[in-house]
Amino acid sequence: MLINCAVYEGGRKLADIPKEEIHFHLGKPGRFVWVALRDAAPEELDEMREEFDLHELAVEDALHGDQRPKVEEYGNCLFVVLRTVELDGDDLAVGEVDVFVGADYVLTVRKRTKQGFSGVRGRCEREPQLLKEGPGYVLYVIMDTVVDRYFPVIDELEAELEKIEARIFEGEPQRRNIEDLYVLKRKLMVLRHAVAPLHEAAGKLYGGRVPEIVAGTQDYFRDVYDHLFRINQSIDSLREMLTTAISVNLSLITVHENETMKRLAAYAALLAIPTMIAGIYGMNFDVMPELRWAYGYPATMALIFAADGYLFYRFRKSGWL
Amino acid sequence: MLINCAVYEGGRKLADIPKEEIHFHLGKPGRFVWVALRDAAPEELDEMREEFDLHELAVEDALHGDQRPKVEEYGNCLFVVLRTVELDGDDLAVGEVDVFVGADYVLTVRKRTKQGFSGVRGRCEREPQLLKEGPGYVLYVIMDTVVDRYFPVIDELEAELEKIEARIFEGEPQRRNIEDLYVLKRKLMVLRHAVAPLHEAAGKLYGGRVPEIVAGTQDYFRDVYDHLFRINQSIDSLREMLTTAISVNLSLITVHENETMKRLAAYAALLAIPTMIAGIYGMNFDVMPELRWAYGYPATMALIFAADGYLFYRFRKSGWL
Amino acid sequence: MLINCAVYEGGRKLADIPKEEIHFHLGKPGRFVWVALRDAAPEELDEMREEFDLHELAVEDALHGDQRPKVEEYGNCLFVVLRTVELDGDDLAVGEVDVFVGADYVLTVRKRTKQGFSGVRGRCEREPQLLKEGPGYVLYVIMDTVVDRYFPVIDELEAELEKIEARIFEGEPQRRNIEDLYVLKRKLMVLRHAVAPLHEAAGKLYGGRVPEIVAGTQDYFRDVYDHLFRINQSIDSLREMLTTAISVNLSLITVHENETMKRLAAYAALLAIPTMIAGIYGMNFDVMPELRWAYGYPATMALIFAADGYLFYRFRKSGWL
Amino acid sequence: MLINCAVYEGGRKLADIPKEEIHFHLGKPGRFVWVALRDAAPEELDEMREEFDLHELAVEDALHGDQRPKVEEYGNCLFVVLRTVELDGDDLAVGEVDVFVGADYVLTVRKRTKQGFSGVRGRCEREPQLLKEGPGYVLYVIMDTVVDRYFPVIDELEAELEKIEARIFEGEPQRRNIEDLYVLKRKLMVLRHAVAPLHEAAGKLYGGRVPEIVAGTQDYFRDVYDHLFRINQSIDSLREMLTTAISVNLSLITVHENETMKRLAAYAALLAIPTMIAGIYGMNFDVMPELRWAYGYPATMALIFAADGYLFYRFRKSGWL
Amino acid sequence: MLINCAVYEGGRKLADIPKEEIHFHLGKPGRFVWVALRDAAPEELDEMREEFDLHELAVEDALHGDQRPKVEEYGNCLFVVLRTVELDGDDLAVGEVDVFVGADYVLTVRKRTKQGFSGVRGRCEREPQLLKEGPGYVLYVIMDTVVDRYFPVIDELEAELEKIEARIFEGEPQRRNIEDLYVLKRKLMVLRHAVAPLHEAAGKLYGGRVPEIVAGTQDYFRDVYDHLFRINQSIDSLREMLTTAISVNLSLITVHENETMKRLAAYAALLAIPTMIAGIYGMNFDVMPELRWAYGYPATMALIFAADGYLFYRFRKSGWL
């Protein structure tokens, strides 16, 4: 579905145009066309392929989706695949934004993204002096927007880990903690698959030899690279803390098992002592003087209570109960 | 066994030819011969070696099979070893496709593969404008086909992991989960041994200096490289999730042990209380007033039931039963 | 907040100046301005940006804070982000120092740091022959100071690990050990995130091609790099020892469980033996000669004590009690 | 001990010669001397050092043995250290083969190897057209032979792992499995120390700049490199599976513990129920109507059997027994 | 403290000289001064700094000690930091040797080393033809000596691991094994911190571009590098075996727990059976024919013994007792 199609020149929007007029505006110095598609149909992409002379393989990638994040050059065209990761209730929603950037055009194709990208266009138009840099700057703003949306996700994952940690160290060990740690790990892997390849690919857009289209905006792409570096580092930390949390949790479960065993044993002793004493006075010997005493029974009961009381006190003191 | 032998020119098939006529067609610009063997006998390979002047070591590799996936140059001849991995019931079947590519020939030798490669020929012939690129394009289509067949395998392995996860988190811990995790790990290693070396080797076919034969189709090989990258990444994720699943499962087994222990202890208490009380009234003291009461027995039984009932209620509440 | 603003020439301080006079002193060979800000307001940074012609992105980074440690060149300006890590009771306090270094100025912006940096200025002024090297040397002294402050942190973390180790091997396994190991791991990650990226970035300041500003002080930056290397190595050791400590602790908990189980079983046996014997003499057979004996009861009690005494001796000897 | 000393020219053996005549044959184009020593005495090596002008450090290495596998150039002399690994009953026997290769000589020194290397000489002499390549080809055949002997070792280790796996998943967890896994790990480390450094070193013998002596046989050394790659990969797989096997085994031991605990508890219940019921009818209340019934006793016994029978059925059904 | 100060020329010692005469001998071709200090005071180092014109930072490093092992060039001066590791009873003693090497001098400063280095001087003087190479050769002999002293340490650590392994697999699991494994890990980290950075640094002294001072003795430094490689490899093996040993030990502890549990349960059964039977014959039913039989009591006791005997036999057979 076509969302937007406009012509820009010298950092300012000239006009929204119907897609049929695109070719009138191509090849004019300082002017570029910016087209945005959503969940594009094959025919739409085909049309764009002809309009902008895109490479068949890139178009196929954009059509099929589910590509790994990457930055590829096809002749003068830069093809960038970004993966969006958004919070969706307790889950992570993964979408894709494919960007084709040439000297005189920017074509964005997004799929399964929940948040829109209209803010991107607004931000670009508010900075005409930078938009003058052309399609390269538009690419930067798109990448920056996608990357900035990773931060709340990583914050959420960190918050989840902290919640689980609190439960691990405060409450009893529960199946739920274990399952939550596992689910968190899964989410982390999803985020990592969006970030890690992009981090690597973004390195191609600054320093050393860079594609001509982004030559004037290298410092900006270094900034994006930097953000990706930080996110990557946070992901690595989370992974390491998760692994540690899982093994620490196992230790705590075992400690808890130990404590339970002791508590059970203490109660068992409290029951076994009276049973043993009662057993002894249940013996049928003809001569058992205690049995004849008037206060034999209360005395025995007193003995039982004394023994159990003392044991209870000892167990309490040593922390078994 | 010879499966196919045909001559192509300008992207179109000229004719199927008997293998004796191969040498008539070699060395003609724009023309190449495409021979396909299956489970080739030593003599067949020897014949081909002479026909196409293949390097002795490459032929030996093709004969023995069980090579690691690789891309090697012997003079003008490119020797590519691919490992096919196919689902075979609950197992993975591993086969091998060896491809010799020269300026005017393509020779494929496949071993132990279950699916055929006739689709490859069809696909090539349907795209004459690309087949015009010559043997390099044929190599691309073969590699692409082999690599595309890894995807259902990785999907299956992911599905298996999800099934095991569900069983781990829902049902009781079972020996079967553990064994299945181990078997899954084994399969993953099989797939990884097919993919990882090929991924590395495929990097030689695009960017920087590439063998002349694939010079015109670099973008296509980058696409194959990309697919391998994605598969590799999925394999790494699976490995990491598997390791996590194994340790999470151990935690759950220990939690389960804990729960079992508590349940057993609760039942033991329910039996020990009556035994203790009965023991006390089994004592033989001459003076035990309760024993003389008319309703001593039912009162005691009531006490027993009350005690057990209360305990049962408490255990239920605290989740032990 | 402006903390300090002074002009230096030939290694000596000329004068403290109000910030409005900064531009009078720029561009004079051998002379440079050194400005220090703390928790700078956006307007202050804006002013400095105009004064020193700083790059917008760098200023934005300095404003937002929470950047990863890095060394970046924006034209002739070197932008360095340092993360300070200080002990704050049982916690680690993380601050940030951003340094802009040009040919004729040094601008430092610090945020959330607890210790001041006035010592830095003092140290520089005490070594005029080195300060003559200009802003590059000032940058070195700042980096050296920040890095030197990591050492007490690493020492503290090592001391904490040793305390936990002692508790693990001496006392009983406790929940607290496990939690402390986890908290230590968290702190280690905080330190590592300050050190690791800086270590990598510091490599750009010596050897091979270096920014012109630090060309004359390369040996000093190699020294800083070296210190970071050592800290990094200590962090890696700590991580490895922590992982080992966690698994060793789990082993000890399991051993302890084992020992507890044996102790409990021993006590259970000491109670079960009398119960069994008493049970036997509680049977109601008409003909049980022992029951008629005058000393049957004391003999039985003696038997019970003998059996338990022997058992107790055996348990003691084998270490169960 | 001198095993063999012969002169070769144009791919064919000219004659066996006494070692005193070696120097007559040196420096003649197309001719080379091949000397083989076993467990060489210092004097023998010294003699050879003078004969072939070997570097002192290389000779010292050859004398002391226990070097890491490596490929080193000393001027025109290539010094190669290979480690042989052979099956020796249940153990692995490690030996060493040191090879000095110059333009006109090959000197091999082997230590603690069990299998001989006479096959190497035979293989070389059967391929005169390749032996014409000179000492480089001899080096290839020696390396290829040593490397080929790793394959049965890796096969044996894989077979051992499979045996242990079968025992882990089928039988009861046994101490022996754990010990065998550990011993297997040890063997794997031995093999890895022979293979990994050689793999790395073999990379110097093909592609890019190679020592002159092996220039004509690069494709062959690539083949050796390839075999080492495959062995290395198998070793890595084995390591990973071993680690997985150890943790999977621990899970199974814990599951087994769980099952044992349940079985024990079930039996305990089967004994505790009769004990409790008997206890109740052992109470001494004056008024306990059941005690007076003619069929009280058999009825109670029937109750006991019924209760235990029902429990037994339930335990069976739920898999506890 | 000054230990030694001598002048060498053409590979031979000319004379021991007082340190005041050092400067007479500097700058003479083929002649060099060799000074050895131990636990040098700041003034001594200062004196040397002036004498040999050493770089301030290097001297500071030598003064403070506790540097990471490294090889650094300060102009024409090579500054090498070595860490000595020596066995000291059950502990490892770590010392430091700092070496300054110039064209005409060698200055060694050692701290906290237990063994002396007089052997180094002796070894050098016994090889005048090599000592002629000058200070570079002296540096080699010092490094070689330090590195050779790592070997007994690694041997000792390997012996310790073997001792622990034997105890793990033969005896009962003990707290001591776990603690010893941990202590061994600690020692290993100490050794690794001495070896790993030196290994890396030693790579700068041969191949490619090397400092002029060591240009003539590259083959010797490659030999040192080689030894470090081997030690490093042994350390890596030890680390991996240690990790494996810890997890294998945990498995064995769990197996042992399992076995203990079974043994306890068996004994519990042997006690519970008589208790249950005695309980039944302790019931007070009026009509219990067995109670009236003359041989009821001995028959019951026989039953009890038979039941326990059979159980005992069964437990033995299945390995529970």
Side-chain angles (χ1 to χ4, degrees), chain B residues 182 186 193 257 292 297, chain D residues 165 226 237 257 285-286 290:
Chain B
Y182 191 81
R186 264 219 177 280
H193 282 192
E257 190 173 61
R292 309 300 153 219
Y297 175 47
Chain D
E165 278 171 15
D226 228 68
S237 281
E257 190 173 61
F285 288 99
D286 284 357
E290 298 96 316

Side-chain angles (χ1 to χ4, degrees), chain B residues 47-215:
Chain B
E47 219 173 342
M48 291 300 150
R49 186 172 61 80
E50 278 170 33
E51 205 68 80
F52 298 123
D53 191 28
L54 307 173
H55 194 284
E56 186 194 13
L57 281 170
V59 172
E60 226 172 87
D61 280 356
L63 189 60
H64 292 143
D66 202 20
Q67 297 300 309
R68 73 171 181 103
K70 62 184 172 187
V71 170
E72 279 180 352
E73 286 178 82
Y74 286 99
N76 294 321
C77 171
L78 204 62
F79 176 54
V80 178
V81 176
L82 304 167
R83 209 174 274 185
T84 64
V85 179
E86 296 160 297
L87 293 167
D88 178 18
D90 271 357
D91 266 334
L92 296 183
V94 177
E96 193 175 319
V97 178
D98 300 325
V99 190
F100 297 83
V101 190
D104 47 9
Y105 64 89
V106 179
L107 167 64
T108 68
V109 185
R110 66 187 173 90
K111 276 184 283 289
R112 281 167 291 120
T113 60
K114 305 185 67 182
Q115 295 171 268
F117 279 81
S118 55
V120 169
R121 206 172 279 263
R123 178 173 157 196
C124 285
E125 293 173 0
R126 274 194 305 279
E127 303 176 308
Q129 81 287 8
L130 289 166
L131 189 53
K132 235 185 294 182
E133 294 282 349
Y137 185 72
V138 174
L139 175 62
Y140 156 69
V141 176
I142 293 169
M143 283 183 75
D144 195 44
T145 304
V146 167
V147 169
D148 271 354
R149 288 180 185 173
Y150 294 148
F151 283 103
V153 176
I154 201 100
D155 288 348
E156 171 64 22
L157 298 188
E158 281 172 352
E160 281 183 28
L161 178 59
E162 272 167 35
K163 258 188 267 171
I164 302 175
E165 278 171 14
R167 287 208 316 262
I168 286 177
F169 288 116
E170 279 157 29
E172 293 213 345
Q174 291 164 322
R175 293 175 168 274
R176 196 182 138 208
N177 292 344
I178 302 169
E179 189 160 359
D180 285 0
L181 284 169
Y182 191 81
V183 170
L184 186 51
K185 174 93 189 198
R186 264 219 177 280
K187 287 185 193 166
L188 204 57
M189 300 301 274
V190 168
L191 186 59
R192 190 174 153 227
H193 282 192
V195 174
L198 187 58
H199 179 223
E200 190 195 331
K204 295 187 204 162
L205 299 179
Y206 82 89
R209 185 222 153 262
V210 298
E212 209 183 329
I213 296 163
V214 300

Side-chain angles (χ1 to χ4, degrees), chain D residues 141-176:
Chain D
V141 176
I142 293 170
M143 283 183 74
D144 194 45
T145 304
V146 167
V147 169
D148 271 355
R149 287 180 185 172
Y150 294 147
F151 282 104
V153 177
I154 201 101
D155 288 348
E156 172 63 22
L157 297 188
E158 280 171 352
E160 280 184 28
L161 178 59
E162 271 166 35
K163 258 190 266 171
I164 302 176
E165 278 171 15
R167 286 208 315 262
I168 286 177
F169 288 116
E170 278 157 30
E172 292 213 346
Q174 289 164 325
R175 293 175 167 274
R176 197 181 139 209

Side-chain angles (χ1 to χ4, degrees), chain A residues 258-311:
Chain A
N258 226 329
E259 290 169 355
T260 306
M261 197 169 76
K262 285 178 180 171
R263 209 151 83 230
L264 296 179
Y267 281 117
L270 292 184
L271 288 174
I273 293 266
T275 305
M276 179 190 70
I277 295 175
I280 286 168
Y281 289 109
M283 292 192 293
N284 296 319
F285 286 101
D286 284 357
V287 186
M288 280 183 81
E290 297 95 318
L291 295 180
R292 310 298 152 221
W293 297 349
Y295 296 100
Y297 174 47
T300 302
M301 292 309 287
L303 173 66
I304 284 173
F305 278 103
D308 266 15
Y310 176 67
L311 260 177

